[in-house]
Amino acid sequence: MNAAAQAAAAQQAAPTPPPTAQFTDLIGELQKLAALQQAGVLTDAEFAAAKAKLLS
């Protein structure tokens, strides 16, 4: 097996690391914003602005 094939096999076999706390918090905040938008508390523009602020 050549070096490139070995590297590809090793990369596929590597376990996926768990999400970081920061990433988990971001997902939770986005879910809260989406719930507020769906409930009619946030307009589409307010949701977009809040989402952009979180993702920046």
Side-chain angles (χ1 to χ4, degrees):
M1 185 180 288
N2 67 29
Q6 287 176 339
Q11 189 176 29
Q12 288 176 347
T16 304
T20 63
Q22 182 181 12
F23 181 72
T24 303
D25 291 345
L26 177 62
I27 291 173
E29 291 299 315
L30 289 170
Q31 289 173 331
K32 288 177 190 176
L33 288 174
L36 290 172
Q37 181 192 25
Q38 290 175 350
V41 176
L42 293 177
T43 65
D44 290 345
E46 290 169 330
F47 173 77
K51 183 175 84 169
K53 184 176 178 181
L54 280 176
L55 295 175
S56 63

